[in-house]
Amino acid sequence: MRCAILGFVCGAAWLQTLAALPDTAAMAFCAALALLLVYGWRGPLRAAAAGALLGFCWAALIAHVALAPQLASDDEGRDVTIVGTIDSLPYRFEQGVRFNFAVERVVGATITVPPRVSLAWYAGFRDKSQPVGAVQPGERWQLTVRLQRPHGNANPYGFDYEVWLLEQGVRATGYVRADGDGNRRLDSFVAGFGHVVERCRARLRERILRALPDKQYAGVIVALVVGDQRAIDQSDWAVFSRTGISHLISISGLHITMIAGLFAALASYLWRRSFFTRAQLPLLLPAQKVAALTGVVVALLYVLLAGFGIPAQRTLYMLTVVAAALWSGRISNVSHVLCVALVVVVLLDPWAVLWPGFWLSFGAVAIILFATVGRVGVPTAGLWNLVRLGAHTQYVVTLGLVPLTMLLFSQVSLVSPIANAVAIPLVSFVVTPLALAGSMLPAPVSGVLLGVAHAAVEALAWFLGWLGDRSLAVWSAPAPSPWMFCFALAGTMWMLAPRGWPHRWAGAVALLPMLTQVPTAPAAGQFAVTAFDVGQGMALLVETAGHRLLYDTGPAYSPESNGGNRVIVPYLKARGIGILDGVVVSHSDADHAGGATSILETVPVGWVASSLRPGHPVVRASARHVRCEAGQRWHWDGVDFEMLHPAAASYKNAHLKPNARSCTLRISAGARSILLAADIEAAQEEQLLSTAPAKLRAEVLLAPHHGSGTSSTPDFLLAVRPSLGVFQVGHRNRYRHPKAEVYERYGELAIGRLRTDESGAVMLDFGTVTGAREYRREHARYWYGR
């Protein structure tokens, strides 16, 4: 059975790597072949093969069903009035509120709207203001909205927003219209199991936030009670990640097991004593069965509060299998329990295999089983033995997950054993019980308990901040290749083998290739450019043999989120790039400078060049700042860099717009070159034609001002004579960049065109020849563009 289950998971994972879903005939063939293998069920390989085929077919079937609801492309951007219910826990932020909406019907139109959409209701949008509704889960509303198909930024090592929406059953996104006629609540509550659960989660969250007004770590308390992590600051997440305790800042399997065990023990105690009556209840039903049932029910309630996350699901299914084995009188092997939980998770959610939490949660349990079950001499009783068991378990998990952690995050926390030794007992046995009790008990007791829980989190955060500031707190390296990961995993298993296994220490040697690898880089005299898909904004990474330059930093999406911390920093970490030699911020527009401060706070930067005013926050945050001026030149590893614009005299003109002073940079290596023109417009293009016409020639042109109608004049394009134009634009951006006439102009001049909203990140290699790669094409998945 275990081989079949593992094969099933592998088959489901295989399906998620395909560019297109198999058709009905292919699925029928795979299912028939699986049945033939099942008929002659002998041997683990045949079982695994049959399981893989069934997992592939099951995941394909679920994907076909999930993709079926579709918003027609012609209906994107249209105003439509819909009636439905608030279907999730709303998230309130500075500009408004976000929530999922279960659509019941469309009013006054014949268009088809998917049954579940994700909506934002902004207080102000495009120079218009509107009151934001006080939406609560389970309410029925009539809303006028504008929708579009799911679309997210597509970058190497980036978060795949499109498949995340697909997993949530969301097949369109949009926003509530400010000029909508009759945005109003129709019913205060619509009965339904999901609505009851989400309303309970909302009430508990409100109680916590009222009891802890303006408290820095109130979001952590909310996460531990209802699993909503959205209110935790990015700076706090950075500390938790650096110290390796992120798994505790949620309703994790450890918390669920602890709470379920506590209630199970209480139920067993009361049942054995017949609730202090003469009913003799143990004669009717054994106390062990009552305890098991109580534990499962409590675990289910807590998992529902958690929003049914993967770690919580895994724990619930494992507890349920153990309870079922106890009730049926069959003692089940622990590995069978883990496999049953594994297959149930994938059956219910085939996309779970795409997320780090799935592999980390099941991997941690599998490592513990491998390193403890059946071993002789593992302590099991007594206070000291329990301490030893806890220390051994922490050692096993920390070491065993090193290869997986490096594969998923390109870093491993060296201080995590110390951090977890303090955080696990504090969060599990102090903060979580106090937070749960405080969220449910009446005032003023609730306020006291929540205040104590917050004080404990505050003390823990201070300790973690101090610990994480150590220079060797984290070991970083590029994401390992498949062979490197497998080699390191084999070495880890060797190190965790039973006592007496020959030369267990030698397994550490297998970790060295993974931990000591260095980032890849172009050869001397060559360079590479990555144009990130950051939405409506610009951000490009330029790499030579020994240096790296970031040109622009992407837009600001919200006060907490920007192109820097959402796209660029994760990419740099995954590549193992720990230092940027230089950053050019072309000008002050938010779509170019929005991520700069996040990058400067996270990554060491040698210098910053910009056209920003002296008091700009980016200038103040820079260790060394220089002003962009035409004529600046430098040479890295056989590659030439020259600033062509703005002229030094332009800084004396206070009337110039920021676009007019965009830092324009030409990079060349022999015959290979690229021109990065930021947001210059026709006047600046004409100026460049008169002052530096011989320096404009380039193989690749970053389309000025995203292809706006005020740039890319015919004379300028003829002077540059690029073979390829790259347009960094956002999907369905409100400026409608690139303008149709400009885009056509590039085509008429036989200039190749790539746009990041269609291609995702564009990777350019300037070697012996110039090559361009598109992330959405190289990493094609069946949910893209659907």
Side-chain angles (χ1 to χ4, degrees):
M1 182 185 77
R2 286 171 292 190
C3 289
I5 288 175
L6 294 176
F8 186 92
V9 174
C10 291
W14 176 30
L15 187 279
Q16 311 310 333
T17 66
L18 299 185
L21 289 175
D23 56 21
T24 305
M27 291 169 59
F29 174 77
C30 289
L33 184 57
L35 291 176
L36 288 175
L37 290 171
V38 169
Y39 180 75
W41 195 283
R42 290 186 182 88
L45 290 179
R46 181 172 291 182
L53 290 170
L54 290 175
F56 179 84
C57 291
W58 174 255
L61 176 63
I62 297 299
H64 275 293
V65 172
L67 287 170
Q70 191 85 282
L71 181 72
S73 58
D74 291 341
D75 293 329
E76 290 186 294
R78 288 180 55 186
D79 286 352
V80 57
T81 300
I82 54 178
V83 172
T85 57
I86 309 300
D87 195 36
S88 69
L89 191 65
Y91 169 57
R92 289 178 174 79
F93 53 102
E94 185 177 348
Q95 295 92 352
V97 62
R98 295 183 187 276
F99 53 91
N100 289 341
F101 196 70
V103 179
E104 296 174 334
R105 58 189 175 89
V106 178
V107 178
T110 58
I111 72 171
T112 300
V113 175
R116 197 173 197 223
V117 300
S118 177
L119 297 176
W121 196 337
Y122 296 105
F125 192 70
R126 299 184 184 175
D127 301 325
K128 294 183 179 180
S129 61
Q130 66 173 335
V132 175
V135 295
Q136 292 292 337
E139 294 178 339
R140 177 178 283 124
W141 281 76
Q142 176 178 300
L143 301 171
T144 299
V145 300
R146 186 168 287 183
L147 301 172
Q148 68 176 23
R149 292 179 167 192
H151 187 93
N153 298 337
N155 295 282
Y157 313 109
F159 177 71
D160 196 328
Y161 181 61
E162 292 177 46
V163 75
W164 182 80
L165 289 176
L166 179 64
E167 184 184 31
Q168 307 301 311
V170 173
R171 299 303 301 138
T173 63
Y175 59 93
V176 179
R177 291 285 288 158
D179 52 356
D181 181 21
N183 292 330
R184 64 184 187 274
R185 182 188 294 109
L186 301 180
D187 293 296
S188 59
F189 188 74
V190 178
F193 179 74
H195 291 164
V196 171
V197 171
E198 293 302 319
R199 180 64 68 91
C200 290
R201 296 179 72 207
R203 291 287 169 82
L204 292 175
R205 183 177 66 177
E206 289 172 5
R207 292 200 68 194
I208 294 169
L209 296 178
R210 281 201 305 267
L212 301 172
D214 301 322
K215 294 291 186 180
Q216 182 178 359
Y217 300 104
V220 174
I221 303 298
V222 169
L224 292 172
V225 174
V226 300
D228 182 14
Q229 302 174 342
R230 293 172 293 186
I232 301 177
D233 290 341
Q234 290 295 322
S235 58
D236 293 330
W237 274 124
V239 173
F240 299 149
S241 175
R242 190 170 175 81
T243 53
I245 64 111
S246 298
H247 62 286
L248 292 176
I249 312 302
S250 63
I251 302 179
S252 67
L254 179 63
H255 301 151
I256 293 169
T257 303
M258 183 268 294
I259 296 296
L262 177 64
F263 277 88
L266 179 61
S268 177
Y269 175 83
L270 294 175
W271 192 266
R272 288 178 187 277
R273 288 156 181 78
S274 299
F275 293 89
F276 304 101
T277 69
R278 297 182 179 180
Q280 297 182 329
L281 295 177
L283 298 179
L284 301 176
L285 190 64
Q288 295 94 330
K289 292 187 176 183
V290 173
L293 181 60
T294 302
V296 170
V297 171
V298 170
L300 173 61
L301 294 175
Y302 202 12
V303 169
L304 290 174
L305 283 178
F308 227 61
I310 294 298
Q313 287 184 47
R314 183 256 302 164
T315 304
L316 173 64
Y317 301 146
M318 291 181 69
L319 291 175
T320 302
V321 172
V322 171
L326 191 151
W327 269 72
S328 64
R330 298 181 179 180
I331 304 300
S332 181
N333 186 293
V334 287
S335 62
H336 283 95
V337 173
L338 181 63
C339 285
V340 170
L342 183 67
V343 75
V344 171
V345 168
V346 177
L347 275 170
L348 296 177
D349 181 8
W351 298 282
V353 298
L354 296 173
W355 308 115
F358 173 87
W359 298 105
L360 289 174
S361 64
F362 281 104
V365 176
I367 289 292
I368 292 172
L369 294 180
F370 173 80
T372 59
V373 172
R375 304 290 176 88
V376 177
V378 177
T380 57
L383 180 59
W384 175 242
N385 284 339
L386 289 176
V387 172
R388 290 176 58 202
L389 176 61
H392 179 260
T393 302
Q394 182 60 44
Y395 159 76
V396 164
V397 172
T398 301
L399 179 60
L401 290 182
V402 166
L404 187 58
T405 304
M406 289 298 299
L407 179 67
L408 297 173
F409 305 113
S410 301
Q411 66 178 33
V412 60
S413 174
L414 300 181
V415 299
S416 66
I418 301 173
N420 278 282
V422 175
I424 287 176
L426 183 63
V427 173
S428 299
F429 300 109
V430 178
V431 176
T432 301
L434 288 175
L436 284 169
S439 63
M440 297 179 185
L441 293 176
V445 177
S446 62
V448 174
L449 296 179
L450 289 171
V452 173
H454 184 273
V457 173
E458 200 168 25
L460 176 63
W462 176 86
F463 170 72
L464 295 175
W466 174 83
L467 194 64
D469 282 340
R470 304 307 95 192
S471 57
L472 292 178
V474 173
W475 186 274
S476 300
S481 60
W483 76 264
M484 207 176 286
F485 168 75
C486 293
F487 190 49
L489 186 61
T492 303
M493 296 300 99
W494 191 280
M495 295 172 68
L496 296 176
R499 190 175 300 173
W501 194 267
H503 306 297
R504 288 193 300 171
W505 57 268
V509 177
L511 296 174
L512 293 179
M514 178 183 69
L515 296 176
T516 59
Q517 61 176 325
V518 296
T520 57
Q526 301 179 4
F527 67 100
V529 177
T530 301
F532 296 106
D533 179 11
V534 290
Q536 184 64 19
M538 280 187 187
L540 303 96
L541 179 68
V542 183
E543 301 178 74
T544 67
H547 296 81
R548 291 171 180 87
L549 170 78
L550 184 66
Y551 181 88
D552 278 339
T553 60
Y557 307 126
S558 71
E560 286 288 327
S561 176
N562 54 66
N565 57 29
R566 291 298 187 192
V567 176
I568 299 169
V569 170
Y571 178 85
L572 296 177
K573 285 184 177 180
R575 288 280 314 281
I577 299 173
I579 297 175
L580 291 172
D581 296 278
V583 171
V584 175
V585 180
S586 64
H587 61 296
S588 60
D589 283 0
D591 58 330
H592 295 252
T597 53
S598 291
I599 291 168
L600 293 173
E601 291 169 357
T602 309
V603 182
V605 174
W607 50 262
V608 175
S610 78
S611 61
L612 306 174
R613 57 180 172 79
H616 193 280
V618 174
V619 176
R620 294 200 305 267
S622 305
R624 180 190 170 205
H625 178 265
V626 296
R627 203 166 65 177
C628 291
E629 292 182 7
Q632 292 169 333
R633 301 187 66 174
W634 65 97
H635 186 82
W636 283 346
D637 311 310
V639 180
D640 293 310
F641 296 76
E642 183 173 4
M643 199 72 68
L644 303 183
H645 185 79
S650 68
Y651 289 97
K652 298 177 182 179
N653 186 351
H655 300 292
L656 280 180
K657 296 188 302 181
N659 286 357
R661 271 197 286 262
S662 291
C663 302
T664 302
L665 180 65
R666 184 179 187 270
I667 307 168
S668 61
R672 312 298 170 204
S673 57
I674 184 172
L675 182 63
L676 307 178
D679 278 0
I680 62 171
E681 298 182 335
Q684 290 75 52
E685 292 179 357
E686 184 178 353
Q687 182 180 348
L688 285 170
L689 287 171
S690 62
T691 59
K695 297 179 179 179
L696 294 178
R697 175 75 179 95
E699 278 189 300
V700 179
L701 171 65
L702 177 65
H705 204 183
H706 317 279
S708 76
T710 60
S711 303
S712 297
T713 59
D715 289 343
F716 182 76
L717 293 180
L718 288 172
V720 178
R721 286 183 292 158
S723 58
L724 176 65
V726 176
F727 297 82
Q728 281 195 299
V729 292
H731 176 66
R732 293 181 55 81
N733 65 87
R734 64 172 177 148
Y735 308 102
R736 299 187 179 181
H737 292 160
K739 293 295 185 180
E741 62 274 17
V742 173
Y743 196 69
E744 293 289 334
R745 186 179 302 153
Y746 277 74
E748 290 168 358
L749 294 175
I751 301 172
R753 297 164 293 182
L754 292 176
R755 39 191 296 174
T756 54
D757 59 337
E758 296 177 353
S759 301
V762 175
M763 289 76 72
L764 302 165
D765 299 305
F766 295 85
T768 54
V769 296
T770 300
R773 296 174 290 126
E774 305 167 65
Y775 181 74
R776 282 186 182 268
R777 185 181 296 273
E778 284 193 345
H779 189 261
R781 295 295 183 264
Y782 64 82
W783 54 81
Y784 284 162
R786 297 292 296 273

